[in-house]
Every structure is written in structure tokens, then in C-alpha cells.
Amino acid sequence: MTDIPLEHVHVEPSEPIEGPAPAVVLLHGRGSNEQDLLQLSREFPDHLHVVSLRAPDPLQGGYTWYELDLSAGGLHKSQPHTEQFERSRELVRESIAAARDEYGLDAERIGLLGFSQGAITSLSLLLEDPDDYAWVVALHGYLAEEHESVEPDGIAGKPIFVGGGSMDQIIPSFRVERAAERLEALGADVTAQMYDAPHGVSPEELADVVSFVETHA
């Protein structure tokens, strides 16, 4: 048992280094679980800790970070449920802080990698606390409306990979592109790529993510 609030999987580095090691924290998508993104992380550098968190609320055999606000007119215009979104962000923060102590993570070299809801959550965490994360990978997500206009100190030069799919009917590519444009306007070091893919990570997208992580982790 650990004191980490969210259920999770921790994978030790296969090539340990002296002292605290860098880490990537994985945030899965709606209806999935903490096992989902581990297959991506198997391609990552061997010196990384991997901490894959499970969202707090059960949903259709998986888990969700929040319910959807569909009041704007359908899934393609959905927003996070405000209170549940805030609660999940706080749970992620608390879990990362506890994981730093539990597993000896380097607090200066923690990256976030999220897919769909996990990407939306990752970008919001970054905009609220940019100094807490060394880099972010946001796949098939968007900037939540409540974070579209924030202008935090500390985001200039921050490495961010933003990926989306031209055939994605869950998170349309225009929402991904708009997030990338906003992050660029804030001065972040944004790598944005769109793929001929639906709502999932294609082999081409994975290869680009691996390259990004190898560069910045």
C-alpha cells in the first residue's frame, strides 16, 4: 500500500541512474484505465519512471476523470464538468506529489502524457502550474474553455507535443489545432502534428511521441 490517492501502476527504470530519476505520468482517456497507455511507454527511454494513474470515477467497465458538459451542442463541442474536472486535477497533483516521495522521482524532470480526457487534464494542469512539469504530450485533446484565456508565468519555452487526427470524430482536429495555436501564442515550444487517423494513437504518431520524449525526458 502507498499514500498515493489514485490507483496506479508504477514501472521502475530498467536502467537506474544515480539519485532521483525523471518520470512520465500517464493520464488515460474516458472509459479506459491505468493499463491503457503503458504500451506506449514501453518505447520510452529506459531511465524513466512511469507512473500511470487511474481516473477516479467508474464508467462502463473503465474510468473517467469527469463527466461531459454537452450543453454547447454535442460531443464535438463538449466541455469538462467544472467541479469534477477541478477535483480530478487536484487528485493528480496530490498523486504526483506522493509519487515523488514514494518512488524517488526527480521533481524537476516530471513530464505528463495524456490521451483525450487525459490530454485535456494534462494541458490544464500545465497552464495552472507550468513550473511543476518539464514537458507535456497531449494526444487528441483540447484546451478546456476555462483555460483558454489564462496567461501563466513559466510557460515560455516549455516543450509541448500536441497530436490529433483528421478522422477523429470524438475530438475534432480543429480543437487540437486551436489548442496548439494558443500554446504557441503563450510562447511554449510546441510541436504540433495531425495524422490521418481516428481517435487513437497511430504507429506514426507513436514514433513522433517517442522521438519527442527521448529529446526532452
Side-chain angles (χ1 to χ4, degrees):
M1 291 292 292
T2 71
D3 293 326
I4 298 173
L6 290 172
E7 293 290 331
H8 66 285
V9 173
H10 170 240
V11 181
E12 292 269 1
S14 58
E15 291 185 5
I17 62 175
E18 195 73 28
V24 56
V25 176
L26 307 179
L27 305 181
H28 63 77
R30 178 176 170 85
S32 189
N33 59 47
E34 70 276 19
Q35 297 289 334
D36 185 40
L37 296 176
L38 288 177
Q39 57 185 331
L40 307 185
S41 69
R42 294 191 184 101
E43 307 290 331
F44 292 170
D46 295 332
H47 64 276
L48 275 176
H49 285 272
V50 177
V51 180
S52 187
L53 301 176
R54 178 197 292 177
D57 297 327
L59 177 74
Q60 301 172 348
Y63 298 87
T64 186
W65 298 101
Y66 51 80
E67 284 305 315
L68 301 176
D69 178 352
L70 301 174
S71 60
L75 184 60
H76 67 291
K77 293 184 178 180
S78 64
Q79 290 290 330
H81 181 283
T82 301
E83 289 80 12
Q84 293 177 2
F85 191 35
E86 182 177 358
R87 175 213 54 185
S88 284
R89 295 196 306 276
E90 187 56 32
L91 284 169
V92 172
R93 288 191 194 95
E94 293 173 359
S95 295
I96 292 174
R100 289 200 305 261
D101 296 334
E102 181 73 23
Y103 302 125
L105 312 182
D106 185 342
E108 302 297 320
R109 294 190 290 168
I110 293 176
L112 298 175
L113 186 154
F115 175 79
S116 194
Q117 271 198 357
I120 297 161
T121 303
S122 295
L123 290 176
S124 294
L125 285 164
L126 173 68
L127 287 171
E128 290 184 347
D129 306 296
D131 291 335
D132 290 350
Y133 311 105
W135 50 269
V136 171
V137 172
L139 306 177
H140 300 256
Y142 57 84
L143 273 185
E145 191 173 55
E146 63 189 273
H147 291 99
E148 285 184 340
S149 60
V150 299
E151 298 186 4
D153 294 330
I155 197 150
K158 189 73 64 175
I160 306 172
F161 183 97
V162 177
S166 62
M167 296 182 286
D168 193 331
Q169 297 184 351
I170 306 298
I171 308 290
S173 59
F174 76 85
R175 303 191 83 179
V176 180
E177 291 168 341
R178 189 166 65 196
E181 290 167 0
R182 176 59 183 159
L183 293 164
E184 287 176 344
L186 291 172
D189 180 11
V190 178
T191 301
Q193 297 288 346
M194 299 299 129
Y195 302 89
D196 293 327
H199 196 64
V201 181
S202 68
E204 182 184 1
E205 187 170 8
L206 175 56
D208 289 342
V209 169
V210 170
S211 178
F212 177 89
V213 173
E214 288 175 343
T215 299
H216 297 289

